[in-house]
Amino acid sequence: MVAQAEQLKGRFQGDPSFEYEYTEINAEDAERLIEDGKEPMIKEEVRLVATIEQIDRAVGIIPRGAFVKTPLGSVHENRNFEGLSVMEAKKLSSYFHFTEPVNLKNKTLLEKADLDPSTDFLDSLEHDIPQGSWTVQLEKGGTVVVLRSLLWLGLTFYHVPMTKQYGYIYFGSGEKNLDLPFMM
């Protein structure tokens, strides 16, 4: 479903029952869909669910230490998390993607030696491609750190240093900023 929705371009129509036709689908895939009794179409509500999943997977983030991994491999919310310090909160390396790690598995043993396995078990934002796809700003006189994604315009993450308060929200068009590498 996510792969099918990624092929669609343009803005949402605002009608959940609107059906998009695949414009860039090869003949083999179209033939397979017709054989299964399906037309090569996707409803807007399905596209919306897939887009939300895609955004959540790409830019759903947490501060370092908010979750811990036990020796048995389960992940739990860290009840001892008291927030990042102001200095740590300004660094991209203090924030992680809240999804299955991809880049962490590709690190060498020497790079993994400096990591704490209980808190550094996710991918850090500092290694995102393209470099510079996140902005870090201080708001309210330095009492709130705000991260914004330049890849998914409209995604805003906040963290109040020295507290457990953090979260993110997305107010965008649902379109990935594919021009980002050319803007840098």
Side-chain angles (χ1 to χ4, degrees), residues 61-63 65-67 77-78 81 83 95 98 157-160 163-168:
I61 58 177
I62 58 169
F67 284 80
E77 187 174 357
N78 186 358
F81 179 69
Y95 300 96
F98 198 46
F157 172 87
Y158 73 93
H159 175 54
V160 181
T163 70
K164 296 181 178 192
Q165 297 178 14
Y166 65 90
Y168 64 93

Side-chain angles (χ1 to χ4, degrees), residues 83-167:
L84 299 172
S85 68
V86 176
M87 289 302 295
E88 286 294 312
K90 294 179 193 177
K91 300 176 188 174
L92 274 181
S93 60
S94 297
Y95 300 96
F96 296 121
H97 288 280
F98 198 46
T99 58
E100 191 68 31
V102 176
N103 297 334
L104 190 65
K105 296 174 184 173
N106 299 332
K107 288 191 176 200
T108 65
L109 287 174
L110 187 59
E111 291 172 318
K112 288 181 182 180
D114 294 335
L115 302 179
D116 180 357
S118 65
T119 56
D120 299 328
F121 58 94
L122 299 170
D123 288 332
S124 172
L125 297 187
E126 70 179 335
H127 301 297
D128 280 6
I129 298 173
Q131 287 285 341
S133 60
W134 290 94
T135 64
V136 180
Q137 298 171 327
L138 295 173
E139 301 287 336
K140 293 185 76 178
T143 59
V144 178
V145 177
V146 176
L147 279 72
R148 289 189 174 88
S149 173
L150 299 177
L151 186 60
W152 287 97
L153 296 173
L155 185 285
T156 303
F157 172 87
Y158 73 93
H159 175 54
V160 181
M162 306 307 289
T163 70
K164 296 181 178 192
Q165 297 178 14
Y166 65 90

Side-chain angles (χ1 to χ4, degrees), residues 25-114:
I25 188 170
N26 62 29
E28 185 180 304
D29 288 342
E31 195 174 296
R32 184 175 42 81
L33 284 171
I34 292 170
E35 283 177 9
D36 292 341
K38 299 177 184 174
E39 292 195 32
M41 298 185 120
I42 187 170
K43 284 192 171 190
E44 179 151 327
E45 64 183 340
V46 173
R47 180 184 178 205
L48 180 62
V49 169
T51 302
I52 291 170
E53 171 64 26
Q54 199 178 2
I55 292 169
D56 226 16
R57 199 174 342 120
V59 289
I61 58 177
I62 58 169
R64 182 179 187 269
F67 284 80
V68 291
K69 188 173 187 177
T70 64
L72 299 175
S74 61
V75 177
H76 301 285
E77 187 174 357
N78 186 358
R79 288 185 270 157
N80 296 325
F81 179 69
E82 293 296 327
L84 299 172
S85 68
V86 176
M87 289 302 295
E88 286 294 312
K90 294 179 193 177
K91 300 176 188 174
L92 274 181
S93 60
S94 297
Y95 300 96
F96 296 121
H97 288 280
F98 198 46
T99 58
E100 191 68 31
V102 176
N103 297 334
L104 190 65
K105 296 174 184 173
N106 299 332
K107 288 191 176 200
T108 65
L109 287 174
L110 187 59
E111 291 172 318
K112 288 181 182 180
D114 294 335

